Amino acid sequence: DSQNLTAIIPVGGPDELVLVTGRERSIRNAAKWQSQGYWLSLKKKKVTGWLSLTASHYPLDYDPRYKRLLTLYSQPFERDNVFFTLWDLEIGAESAKPIVSWSTKDPRGLDQDRFAKIVDKNIVVSKTDRHIYEAFDTEKMERVYTYSSECFFDVPATLSADRSSIIFPEDNQITILDAATGEPKMRMLTDNERVTGASINSSGEKLAAISRENILVWDLKQGEVEPTVYPAPLIGSPFKSRLEWVDDDHLLAQGLNNRVLYRLSLGLPIWSYQMDVGDGFQNKDPLKNRMVLDKFFYFAEPGGPFSPALAVGCVQFPGPMVNDITDEVDRSSLYILSKGVPVSIELKNVAKEDQVKSWLIGKIEGNGWVYDPDAEIKFEATMGIGSSQSVVYRQMFGKGKTEVVNFRPNFSNLKLIQGERILWQSGTSTGAPPIVRGERAQTAVDRMQRPNSKFFYNVRVPQEIIDPKFARGFGVSKLGLRGIEVVSTSPPGREANPEEAAKQAIEDQKKAEEERKKELEDQEKSQSQQSGRQ
């Protein structure tokens, strides 16, 4: 009753076992009381066994193939004595036998990006710092490989279901490595779309990724190099998202808002899910919730964060009524913009106005729309200069002098709007290079701050756009102490008064934009405080 949950680890087997682990909540008692594990049988719906571990060990992963448990040892206020331990643990056993321990960097600053996985009998891959992943051979006691993810926002890596591949969402590409050896398996280009989450399905035949506006899917079995692109606005975050396969036709995305279920065969988000328990923050941690095939694991504390009670939920997706409602959806009836619809153009502070207007007319006509200067739906093209930002560069050699560089980024934005509603949008902005060589950092950064009118030529605009009120599906369910329950069969946010759909859609978009802006500001502030970039 004084423990924090640390992980929910599906094990499987005839009793459908799950290993739930916990650690002493009190910092004062952390070194006194053992960490605990609970073997839960979903089939029998009860605890079938208990596991005791040494105090201060934080359970991270369990691999039933090799019957090995991975823990992290770290004491409060002690940052030098941190190490992983690999244990021999039989399924359902009450005690574990330590096999080997090795030192590691303190990962407390990684928060929800904590990543440590058993990928082979003797090999563990862990995230040791921002962007940095290391594989360690516990038999040879040596590092196998180190990989630095080329992702500005440090999107977390994921592991394939069979633990053979590790997937890195990166800027403009996805890199897949052999998890045990570090050898590259494939790199998939994303056509200038910043990927914020990715995963491979259970069969290993399909790769899915999510960006700010789209879901991209590759058929690995067919060796596809180009992805199939599915529109998905207002689902993922522009920075970090989670994307998990439910089955070959459904993906569960978690970004700025609630979890959203996406159906590939419809090319639409079809349902939203809320946590009906007071543990929303905890259930964002991938150690505490996850999809396994078509089942979703999560946890709840019925009496609040200091309650002695703890409930583990396992629900089958998509849940009641979802298929019944969405199987009847006619996608074409949801379009707000399709062939034959008139569209106008408004330019705001745009360089090379005549050329930009010509490019946008070309996109209108290329999509089968009709250019009409008086149309209600319009392209709004904007260029400008953003607020001042700063970044710190440090010399790699010599005395390690730092240089603080200030700049104001140039931005180019394109929106399709109807009244106050944003139907679709895209944009770009200049920034600072990660590395500067052979010149002053300020000179290199200044050179990048140029207006980019060519963006309006290169931007890809979808031919058909769904009404934004359906951006997160056709209904809402909640996950709580009674499993999964339907809240509403109206689009999310419009349960009480569906007639107010347009107004609510505007509020949804404004809220999402505010959250995106705040998260971007936090990211930029964090980046500006870091040094060592030269």
Side-chain angles (χ1 to χ4, degrees):
D1 60 356
S2 65
Q3 290 189 334
N4 283 323
L5 184 78
T6 56
I8 298 175
I9 307 171
V11 177
D15 287 334
E16 299 177 6
L17 286 181
V18 177
L19 177 60
V20 179
T21 58
R23 184 184 179 192
E24 170 62 38
R25 176 181 285 128
S26 169
I27 294 178
R28 179 179 300 175
N29 296 327
K32 300 178 182 179
W33 303 104
Q34 292 177 313
S35 295
Q36 296 287 327
Y38 307 88
W39 297 100
L40 304 183
S41 170
L42 298 179
K43 186 175 182 179
K44 297 178 180 178
K45 297 183 179 180
K46 67 177 184 179
V47 176
T48 60
W50 286 262
L51 166 69
S52 294
L53 293 171
T54 306
S56 302
H57 280 277
Y58 190 107
L60 296 172
D61 191 26
Y62 180 71
D63 189 338
R65 298 175 302 171
Y66 307 111
K67 300 178 177 58
R68 293 196 164 182
L69 176 74
L70 177 67
T71 64
L72 174 72
Y73 178 93
S74 64
Q75 288 278 21
F77 315 115
E78 185 179 328
R79 305 186 70 87
D80 296 329
N81 186 25
V82 180
F83 55 87
F84 288 122
T85 300
L86 200 60
W87 307 71
D88 183 18
L89 175 62
E90 292 292 325
I91 295 175
E94 296 182 357
S95 61
K97 179 182 178 181
I99 300 172
V100 63
S101 295
W102 67 100
S103 62
T104 184
K105 294 181 180 179
D106 191 332
R108 271 173 269 196
L110 299 179
D111 299 325
Q112 292 176 32
D113 291 350
R114 185 182 291 112
F115 181 97
K117 299 289 183 182
I118 302 167
V119 300
D120 207 340
K121 184 176 181 179
N122 298 306
I123 296 178
V124 171
V125 177
S126 64
K127 185 173 185 181
T128 59
D129 207 340
R130 282 181 55 85
H131 306 280
I132 305 300
Y133 294 77
E134 292 184 353
F136 190 83
D137 189 322
T138 61
E139 185 176 46
K140 297 179 180 178
M141 294 300 288
E142 64 183 23
R143 186 182 296 112
V144 180
Y145 66 87
T146 299
Y147 186 79
S148 178
S149 176
E150 297 178 3
C151 179
F152 181 81
F153 290 113
D154 194 25
V155 176
T158 58
L159 199 64
S160 62
D162 64 0
R163 299 177 181 247
S164 67
S165 300
I166 184 169
I167 303 100
F168 294 96
E170 298 181 300
D171 296 337
N172 303 323
Q173 70 179 19
I174 297 173
T175 299
I176 302 177
L177 304 182
D178 184 296
T181 67
E183 292 295 319
K185 286 188 171 182
M186 61 188 72
R187 281 191 171 88
M188 318 299 283
L189 301 180
T190 57
D191 195 20
N192 295 320
E193 290 205 54
R194 177 177 286 154
V195 171
T196 61
S199 66
I200 292 178
N201 69 346
S202 59
S203 68
E205 295 179 351
K206 291 186 178 181
L207 168 67
I210 188 169
S211 67
R212 176 173 174 172
E213 298 293 337
N214 298 304
I215 285 176
L216 303 89
V217 178
W218 289 264
D219 189 329
L220 303 181
K221 186 177 181 180
Q222 299 297 325
E224 289 184 353
V225 176
E226 294 296 326
T228 302
V229 180
Y230 301 87
L234 296 182
I235 292 182
S237 162
F239 312 108
K240 298 179 184 180
S241 305
R242 287 183 64 191
L243 189 67
E244 300 175 278
W245 288 89
V246 177
D247 55 42
D248 285 349
D249 193 34
H250 295 85
L251 290 157
L252 185 65
Q254 178 183 329
L256 290 172
N257 299 295
N258 294 324
R259 293 170 177 83
V260 177
L261 187 68
Y262 195 95
R263 180 181 289 181
L264 297 175
S265 58
L266 268 179
L268 288 173
I270 61 171
W271 213 258
S272 284
Y273 298 86
Q274 303 170 345
M275 299 305 302
D276 186 38
V277 287
D279 54 4
F281 175 78
Q282 297 283 0
N283 271 296
K284 291 180 181 179
D285 187 337
L287 287 176
K288 299 180 178 66
N289 74 86
R290 59 183 295 191
M291 287 294 315
V292 179
L293 299 177
D294 62 348
K295 293 182 175 61
F296 183 71
F297 290 84
Y298 63 97
F299 89 99
E301 293 176 324
F306 299 101
S307 166
L310 176 68
V312 175
C314 175
V315 294
Q316 187 166 0
F317 261 49
M321 298 184 68
V322 176
N323 288 333
D324 293 338
I325 291 174
T326 58
D327 283 348
E328 303 299 322
V329 171
D330 177 10
R331 193 179 196 279
S332 62
S333 68
L334 309 178
Y335 293 139
I336 198 170
L337 191 53
S338 56
K339 288 184 178 181
V341 175
V343 177
S344 60
I345 295 174
E346 181 179 357
L347 306 179
K348 294 184 175 181
N349 194 36
V350 171
K352 303 178 181 179
E353 286 192 357
D354 291 343
Q355 192 171 48
V356 170
K357 185 175 181 180
S358 175
W359 289 336
L360 295 181
I361 291 176
K363 292 184 183 297
I364 291 172
E365 295 175 345
N367 279 351
W369 308 339
V370 177
Y371 174 59
D372 180 352
D374 299 318
E376 178 187 17
I377 297 176
K378 65 182 177 182
F379 265 132
E380 182 183 88
T382 308
M383 294 177 67
I385 299 177
S387 57
S388 180
Q389 300 178 21
S390 63
V391 64
V392 179
Y393 291 88
R394 181 185 296 276
Q395 292 179 350
M396 293 180 64
F397 306 104
K399 297 182 179 180
K401 295 175 60 179
T402 61
E403 181 179 352
V404 179
V405 175
N406 298 304
F407 67 97
R408 297 182 64 188
N410 283 255
F411 64 84
S412 301
N413 292 331
L414 182 63
K415 298 178 181 178
L416 275 165
I417 61 176
Q418 182 186 45
E420 294 184 38
R421 281 204 297 174
I422 300 173
L423 308 180
W424 171 90
Q425 62 181 323
S426 185
T428 187
S429 175
T430 58
I435 298 173
V436 176
R437 293 188 177 96
E439 61 182 329
R440 289 186 64 246
Q442 185 70 62
T443 302
V445 172
D446 288 345
R447 191 171 57 253
M448 296 184 65
Q449 315 313 314
R450 298 287 185 269
N452 182 13
S453 59
K454 194 67 178 293
F455 161 77
F456 301 105
Y457 175 80
N458 293 323
V459 65
R460 183 170 56 190
V461 181
Q463 290 184 325
E464 299 164 325
I465 295 176
I466 300 294
D467 191 319
K469 72 181 180 182
F470 300 109
R472 295 204 302 279
F474 301 92
V476 183
S477 292
K478 64 182 179 181
L479 304 168
L481 299 177
R482 292 183 293 273
I484 185 168
E485 299 176 298
V486 175
V487 173
S488 169
T489 56
S490 295
R494 288 155 281 278
E495 295 83 354
N497 189 352
E499 290 78 16
E500 292 295 317
K503 180 180 178 180
Q504 185 63 48
I506 294 171
E507 294 178 2
D508 288 350
Q509 290 171 329
K510 288 181 178 178
K511 181 179 179 181
E513 287 301 313
E514 290 172 358
E515 290 173 336
R516 285 171 174 164
K517 182 178 179 181
K518 183 179 186 302
E519 190 165 352
L520 180 58
E521 290 173 348
D522 292 343
Q523 290 282 350
E524 290 171 344
K525 184 183 295 182
S526 174
Q527 290 290 326
S528 68
Q529 293 173 349
Q530 294 187 21
S531 58
R533 300 173 60 184
Q534 177 79 4

